[in-house]
Amino acid sequence: MVTEKPILRGLFKISEGRLVWSGKWAMSSQKFKEGEKSKFKFIFTGDFGGDKVEAKDGVYKGYFLLKDASADGGYTKVPEKKVKLKFVKIDDAEMFEVEGTGSNKFGEFKLQGKYDPKSNKMALEKEYKQAEDDEDEDGEFNADVYDEEEDEQIDDDGDDIDKSEELAKLNEEANMSVEELRKRYYGGSAANEEASEGSSSKKAKTDE
């Protein structure tokens, strides 16, 4: 039985001397087309100099946002640890095949896809490690993961990807437990609700 795999589509760029890959992800190619997607971001941890955008073999670290109605802001940030990527040029083509591995709180996973050095866009499928008797027999790369028409919609969102504070958070969160992460992203919800109610009460009295 063939199951849908999470898909990540993003753009490589340089931010404050660091190589960054960021974009949007979805639970499947179909979900991506339907607009059910969220942000992700990875930073190359190796030495990188110059101002030329060029994908590198090595270790990346980052996170993806997961929709969560109970979380403050509607999203939970899920750190991804020791993501290793390898780029292999396809013979007689401008494209590179990409393979990788990594892990997060949901388990270990492998990555497979393509990188286009002309546009600096990369599209990868993510497959989580399963028990041997539950593995998908059809493990071949789905060509639909790299859809030029869909990838044209990838925007350079320009969020706080360049900030040193964000880099510090990535380092910190990479070593935090799930409980600590939940406390960080869920802990402020109740306080925010109380503050909001208090503000509403004061406004009501003023109106009277």
Side-chain angles (χ1 to χ4, degrees):
M1 179 179 177
V2 179
T3 58
E4 290 282 10
K5 302 171 185 176
I7 179 173
L8 300 86
R9 291 177 177 157
L11 180 72
F12 274 99
K13 62 183 179 181
I14 298 175
S15 294
E16 295 186 350
R18 288 178 176 264
L19 181 65
V20 177
W21 180 50
S22 63
K24 302 291 180 65
W25 78 278
M27 290 301 295
S28 67
S29 295
Q30 185 59 37
K31 294 294 184 182
F32 198 101
K33 291 178 180 179
E34 294 172 357
E36 296 184 27
K37 48 194 176 185
S38 303
K39 293 182 180 181
F40 72 84
K41 178 165 56 181
F42 287 94
I43 299 173
F44 180 57
T45 63
D47 293 332
F48 184 79
D51 54 2
K52 181 181 178 182
V53 179
E54 183 180 12
K56 294 283 189 180
D57 291 350
V59 179
Y60 292 72
K61 61 182 177 182
Y63 65 83
F64 65 90
L65 297 183
L66 183 65
K67 290 183 179 179
D68 185 346
S70 65
D72 188 20
Y75 288 91
T76 296
K77 184 185 288 186
V78 181
E80 305 240 76
K81 302 178 180 180
K82 296 182 180 179
V83 177
K84 297 181 180 179
L85 297 180
K86 183 177 182 180
F87 298 81
V88 179
K89 192 176 187 305
I90 301 174
D91 292 339
D92 301 322
E94 295 297 327
M95 305 285 284
F96 283 75
E97 289 186 344
V98 187
E99 293 185 348
T101 58
S103 66
N104 57 39
K105 68 179 184 180
F106 299 112
E108 297 180 354
F109 57 80
K110 64 180 181 179
L111 298 164
Q112 186 175 20
K114 293 181 180 179
Y115 164 63
D116 180 2
K118 287 187 175 181
S119 64
N120 291 315
K121 293 177 181 177
M122 183 164 72
L124 301 180
E125 280 183 340
K126 176 186 286 185
E127 182 177 11
Y128 285 93
K129 186 176 180 180
Q130 302 175 12
E132 290 186 5
D133 59 351
D134 191 36
E135 286 186 349
D136 184 359
E137 294 181 0
D138 184 6
E140 295 185 0
F141 173 64
N142 177 12
D144 187 49
V145 69
Y146 194 86
D147 187 321
E148 291 187 8
E149 182 178 348
E150 287 293 325
D151 284 347
E152 287 299 323
Q153 300 176 18
I154 295 175
D155 59 344
D156 185 1
D157 50 44
D159 59 3
D160 58 353
I161 198 168
D162 303 335
K163 307 299 183 181
S164 57
E165 179 181 353
E166 181 67 22
L167 296 176
K169 284 183 179 179
L170 285 176
N171 286 320
E172 180 183 358
E173 290 173 357
N175 298 312
M176 293 175 68
S177 66
V178 174
E179 289 73 21
E180 289 173 323
L181 286 168
R182 286 176 177 169
K183 184 179 294 184
R184 166 170 287 190
Y185 292 106
Y186 298 166
S189 299
N192 290 338
E193 290 179 4
E194 291 178 4
S196 177
E197 290 177 1
S199 177
S200 299
S201 299
K202 290 181 181 179
K203 183 177 180 182
K205 291 182 179 179
T206 302
D207 292 341
E208 292 176 357

